[in-house]
Amino acid sequence: MPVTINESTVEQTNPANSSSSQRGGFSSALGTLFATLGSAVGLGNIWKFPSMTGENGGAAFIIVYLLSTLFVGLPVMISEIMMGRKARANVIKTMRQLSPSKSQPWWLIGVAGVLSAFLIMAFYTEVAGWVFAYIFKSISGGLLSTDPQITSQAFVDLVTNPLQSLLWQWIVLALMSLIIIRGVSKGIEATTKRLLPLLLVMLVVIAIRGLTLPGASQGLNFLFKPDFSSLTSAAILSAMGLAFFKLSLGMGTMTTYGSYFKDDQNIPTTTLRVMLSDLTVSLLAGLAIFPAVFAFGFEVTSGPSLLFITIPSVFASMPFGSIFMVMFFLLASFAATGAMLSLFEVPVAFLAENTRLNRTKATILTAFLLALIGSTAALSSSTLADFTIFGKTMFDLFDFLSSNILMPIGGLFIVIFAGWFWGEKNIRKALSNNGLLKNERLVTLFIVIVKYLTPILLIVVMLNGLGVF
Ligand code: TRP
């Protein structure tokens, strides 16, 4: 499409637009797809999705999850990205800029977003720290035991050791800072573009290994046999919550990334591809994990213990298991990296634009604040194990506050703002790239969904998060 290419060239060389070129952005359509997908693909795919699917009725849950990503996830993602691209600014500035009246405090959505980014990062960097530690532990052979009791002890030793917990978290923070400092295109885009294909290859290799084990079919049954009786209303609601977490929604990540999208990027098709690819990774992760778990007769556990206790024992049971184990934690670290970069970028973009700090200093300040807040999560299983608020350790509290309160509220306000305040005319322009794309009917469908269906569904999720049902 020569017309669009011209447009973006004009955009970049236009001196009036220098602030946007100074902020940087994604450099190619493929790079944009990879960076955005890199945000969605994360630890959520590797244990949240498989274990929730297994617990909540297999294929029945997957169907509900699919519907949730279509009618809640995608509309929120499209809204965030189109508004970020329009404003070409961090999430707080975007909301302020697009607000029809300066007296309406829509920028508070952005503030909540930056805040949630800190909360999510605080515990996410800790889990990522364990994953990084496990790469080395699996290389050294320290995890090679078929006895879950021994692998469980190895995990307990790690999380209850305050120094080790902090150290691994700081290593992760330092690594992410180094990538973020390099910039949006040379840092985030270049990194995710390299890591995602490798991740995919390793995941496929492990899935094939698992599927070819004798007794693998039981794992397939666990994952895919639809059991509509375990599809309770709570399970339906948690499928929606998962869609939210999986696609990095409701707290400014996608708004920030949208501000780096090129003007000729097709937002509806890009987001659809991200959603489908993310789903593929989740399903592959399920195939990499459950057939092997069942083949060796292990109990299915959920949460961190599936990842850090059961999986090492499973790999220790198979021939050449140590190689697969290293691969597994390597790919998990790649997944976590793309997700963390997108979380990190939210406060960095804000600080670099709204304060006098440059990108490097903004990154260092963010890393420092994260180390500070994150240390309370890192020490949740050791020094601060008895320090609880509402009966939750800081680790659990951050998880709960961000996933059950801040993100759904953020998502709800974002779709209400997009559908009812920013308005139809702006949406049509944004999603058709000013009329260049002939996707009128698709956009009409989007407008109906974003105005009515998504807000209603989201309110249900939120009431569930607050324990009303
Ligand atoms: N989507 C990532 C995962 O599945 C996590 C994540 C990254 C995230 N950025 C986010 C979650 C923003 C919520 C909001 O692991």
Side-chain angles (χ1 to χ4, degrees), residues 37-46 48 116-117 120 124 242 244-254 278 335-336 338-344 346 402-403 407:
L37 181 61
S39 167
V41 168
L43 296 168
N45 305 60
I46 292 172
K48 244 185 176 169
S116 342
I120 299 172
Y124 208 92
L242 180 64
F244 234 74
F245 185 86
K246 272 305 319 108
L247 298 174
S248 313
L249 303 174
M251 40 71 58
T253 285
M254 288 299 169
D278 179 68
M340 285 189 291
L341 290 177
S342 72
L343 283 159
F344 218 120
V346 175
S402 53
S403 297
M407 278 161 49

Side-chain angles (χ1 to χ4, degrees), residues 117-122 125 169-170 173 343-344 347 363-376:
F118 273 104
L119 294 186
I120 299 172
M121 274 297 269
T125 48
Q169 186 176 44
W170 292 344
L173 282 172
L343 283 159
F344 218 120
T363 307
I364 295 170
L365 178 63
T366 303
F368 187 74
L369 290 173
L370 282 171
L372 211 66
I373 307 173
S375 63
T376 61

Side-chain angles (χ1 to χ4, degrees), residues 27 65 194 250 379 403 431:
S27 68
Y65 172 76
R194 280 192 203 120
L379 298 175
S403 297
L431 294 184

Side-chain angles (χ1 to χ4, degrees), residues 20 91 114 146 164 186 254 270 300 326 372 384 391 428 439 454 467:
S20 86
V91 58
V114 175
T146 52
Q164 276 209 46
K186 289 206 185 99
M254 288 299 169
T270 305
V300 173
V326 175
L372 211 66
L384 296 177
R428 286 195 184 281
N439 56 1
T454 312

